[in-house]
Amino acid sequence: MEFNANRVDEANAVITATVAKEMIEANLDKVAKQASKTMNIQGFRKGKAPVHMIKQMHGDKIKQDIIYDIINHTLNHAVNDHKLKVVGHPEVEIKDAEDDTLEYNIEAKLSIRPEPKIESYTGLTLDVEVMPKDEKALDLAKEKFLRNFANFEKSESEELTEADVANINFTASEGDKVVIASSKANEILRFNNRNLPEEFYTNLVGAKSGDSFKFTAVATPAQFNAITEEQTLEFSGVVNSVFKLRVPELNEQFIIDNKVADSLEAFEKLLANKVETERDNYLRSRKEEILLENIVNNNKFEIPQALIDESIRGYLVEAGYMKPDQDLTREFLPQAREMFGQIGEKRARIGVVLDQIIAQESFSTSKEVAEEWVAFLVNKDGSEKEQAEELAYYRKYYGLESEFEHSVFYINKIRMVQNLIERNTLKVVELDPNKEKTAK
């Protein structure tokens, strides 16, 4: 058996091979003889059917299996010999050879992970546009925190606001014909889940328990299963009850009673640190985004669709849309490419760039360095118990307990991004929220 490997470009390769008849036939006899020991053939005891009958009945299937075994062996041999980093599955084509001395010509098209030389990735000076710091961020954080302890209380006399919830009954009519009726005795109206026509949310603000309402609105099939197309309908109904959102008052006693902190002052300090940390994380994320985007734009290279698909799958797993052991099905793949193609290509290019910089600089992380790096991630403002728990979480998450040889590649990328930020000048520029950003 002979094979040739040809690197078409930095993202594709083709492997061709010819397989002799003698190899197929020799393997056919061998596999058929082995299969005869376990096959049940009518008229023969198990394992006693003659080899020629096995070949007569199952020869085509056995021959196909042999060919694909040879293809797999050939591809593995060629990939290892030429040190090809294959992504995805090969496209294999098998043709009958014109020469009678040969059985098959095999051609396999492979997608290859590109390995371009990355340049222009240090000494850069870039503006990083960010949203200005929100002076009300601490107040918003307090409000968000208190909502965790809030509850709804039924009110007979207070008006409905966008923070509240209401139970309503309604019908929707077209002339004298009722088209839609409440699917439940009490339909729940929530302002943070606008699943009804917008007029419900604009007209019912200020309503009280027992108030009736009537208005015209456009209804869609997404809102109501009873219709198949958009319709302008007249809605009428009654507010059965209003439930007011009761948010507790933030004071010393509340903090102590709920064991949030030792004092109101201590809590406000913790919350202020959290707000600052979130701001720092946002700035770091923007720096990473702008820097990596610039490096990718400075280095053009071909990238195979298979690598983009792999990146799309990784994104969907991280986002919780897929399980880690799931693959993109043939049926879902076109839709996934349409919806997440740009994200997938961006992530794939960034991955290639970081891998190549790491390889060019022989950058590596020892387990000792990884331990120091993980310890640095722990929030030093927490209690000893909280710090210990956070450290244990990070050690497990980054594979320091059992799978370091696998997770080190991920750690290398994170550390390399931090390294690149330090080796470039990234100027934070706060956008003016009152000024429209002009296109460049």
Side-chain angles (χ1 to χ4, degrees):
M1 178 182 61
E2 298 178 356
F3 71 83
N4 292 302
N6 178 34
R7 189 76 176 255
V8 179
D9 54 40
E10 60 186 353
N12 298 280
V14 174
I15 294 175
T16 56
T18 54
V19 182
K21 265 187 178 182
E22 290 79 2
M23 179 182 290
I24 303 293
E25 293 302 326
N27 278 280
L28 181 60
D29 288 337
K30 181 179 177 182
V31 174
K33 185 175 181 180
Q34 190 68 29
S36 71
K37 297 177 182 179
T38 57
M39 277 189 173
N40 288 318
I41 303 296
Q42 188 174 358
F44 297 90
R45 285 181 295 161
K46 184 177 180 179
K48 297 299 182 179
V51 172
H52 77 271
M53 185 168 289
I54 300 294
K55 291 171 64 176
Q56 182 180 342
M57 297 178 68
H58 302 284
D60 290 343
K61 174 66 168 63
I62 294 173
K63 185 180 290 187
Q64 188 179 54
D65 290 344
I66 291 169
I67 291 171
Y68 277 98
D69 282 344
I70 292 172
I71 290 172
N72 287 334
H73 175 77
T74 302
L75 291 180
N76 289 334
H77 196 44
V79 166
N80 291 332
D81 277 7
H82 292 269
K83 296 181 174 58
L84 301 176
K85 295 182 179 179
V86 180
V87 292
H89 302 289
E91 295 180 17
V92 179
E93 185 178 4
I94 304 172
K95 298 179 181 178
D96 289 328
E98 296 177 2
D99 190 335
D100 288 340
T101 61
L102 298 175
E103 183 83 21
Y104 294 106
N105 285 330
I106 299 168
E107 181 180 273
K109 296 178 180 179
L110 308 177
S111 296
I112 306 299
R113 188 178 185 85
E115 298 179 289
K117 178 176 173 54
I118 305 301
E119 299 175 329
S120 303
Y121 62 88
T122 60
L124 303 173
T125 299
L126 303 171
D127 286 345
V128 180
E129 295 182 337
V130 300
M131 294 302 296
K133 184 176 180 179
D134 189 348
E135 298 302 328
K136 297 180 180 179
L138 185 57
D139 291 335
L140 292 173
K142 289 179 182 178
E143 182 180 323
K144 183 179 179 181
F145 168 77
L146 288 173
R147 280 180 177 270
N148 294 325
F149 298 88
N151 57 66
F152 288 96
E153 182 180 285
K154 189 174 182 179
S155 172
E156 299 294 338
S157 59
E158 293 177 273
E159 293 183 349
L160 181 67
T161 71
E162 292 197 1
D164 305 325
V165 172
N167 280 355
I168 60 174
N169 281 351
F170 66 86
T171 59
S173 305
E174 188 175 42
D176 296 331
K177 180 183 177 183
V178 175
V179 179
I180 301 166
S182 299
S183 58
K184 307 171 188 174
N186 291 303
E187 194 82 20
I188 299 177
L189 180 73
R190 300 179 189 275
F191 285 83
N192 62 348
N193 183 14
R194 292 173 123 78
N195 58 339
L196 295 173
E198 189 62 25
E199 285 78 3
F200 274 92
Y201 307 100
T202 54
N203 286 293
L204 294 186
V205 169
K208 298 179 182 179
S209 179
D211 286 356
S212 58
F213 58 86
K214 189 174 184 178
F215 53 79
T216 301
V218 176
T220 69
Q223 296 164 341
F224 303 103
N225 293 329
I227 59 177
T228 57
E229 59 184 12
E230 284 191 2
Q231 287 183 249
T232 300
L233 302 173
E234 185 174 76
F235 288 84
S236 59
V238 62
V239 178
N240 295 322
S241 51
V242 171
F243 292 86
K244 300 293 294 182
L245 181 68
R246 305 301 188 193
V247 180
E249 182 182 350
L250 182 62
N251 53 40
E252 192 88 20
Q253 194 62 47
F254 173 81
I255 293 298
I256 295 172
D257 288 348
N258 287 281
K259 299 180 181 179
V260 176
D262 294 333
S263 65
L264 178 59
E265 182 181 358
F267 165 73
E268 291 183 331
K269 182 179 179 182
L270 286 172
L271 198 60
N273 287 339
K274 182 180 178 181
V275 169
E276 285 300 317
T277 299
E278 289 176 352
R279 177 68 179 177
D280 290 342
N281 290 340
Y282 165 68
L283 295 178
R284 183 173 64 251
S285 175
R286 285 291 293 150
K287 287 178 180 180
E288 291 178 9
E289 182 183 358
I290 297 301
L291 176 59
L292 293 175
E293 185 178 280
N294 188 271
I295 295 173
V296 166
N297 290 337
N298 288 342
N299 292 272
K300 305 298 183 183
F301 52 86
E302 294 292 325
I303 193 158
Q305 182 62 52
L307 187 56
I308 296 174
D309 293 343
E310 189 179 279
S311 183
I312 290 173
R313 180 190 168 280
Y315 171 75
L316 294 176
V317 169
E318 288 178 20
Y321 297 123
M322 291 178 62
K323 295 179 180 178
D325 58 350
Q326 278 185 297
D327 287 325
L328 287 171
T329 62
R330 188 181 297 274
E331 294 76 21
F332 178 60
L333 187 57
Q335 184 181 355
R337 286 175 176 172
E338 182 178 353
M339 294 174 64
F340 306 107
Q342 289 185 336
I343 294 174
E345 181 173 352
K346 181 179 179 179
R347 285 166 59 96
R349 289 187 179 280
I350 289 173
V352 169
V353 163
L354 290 176
D355 284 342
Q356 289 305 106
I357 294 175
I358 288 169
Q360 288 170 202
E361 299 195 357
S362 301
F363 186 85
S364 63
T365 303
S366 66
K367 192 167 184 179
E368 292 73 22
V369 171
E371 291 280 8
E372 293 177 3
W373 176 72
V374 164
F376 177 76
L377 298 177
V378 175
N379 180 14
K380 303 303 186 293
D381 291 326
S383 66
E384 289 186 12
K385 181 182 178 182
E386 290 172 334
Q387 290 186 46
E389 290 175 349
E390 193 173 0
L391 179 60
Y393 167 79
Y394 282 134
R395 292 192 76 257
K396 183 177 181 180
Y397 183 82
Y398 290 111
L400 296 181
E401 294 181 355
S402 59
E403 302 176 349
F404 179 69
E405 64 275 11
H406 301 297
S407 61
V408 67
F409 300 106
Y410 183 49
I411 294 175
N412 277 343
K413 286 187 177 181
I414 297 174
R415 293 186 62 235
M416 176 52 75
V417 172
Q418 294 172 339
N419 184 287
L420 290 173
I421 288 176
E422 293 170 0
R423 293 158 67 184
N424 291 279
T425 302
L426 303 173
K427 299 179 179 179
V428 173
V429 178
E430 290 193 352
L431 296 170
D432 184 352
N434 300 316
K435 183 179 179 182
E436 290 187 10
K437 186 178 177 182
T438 55
K440 293 182 179 181

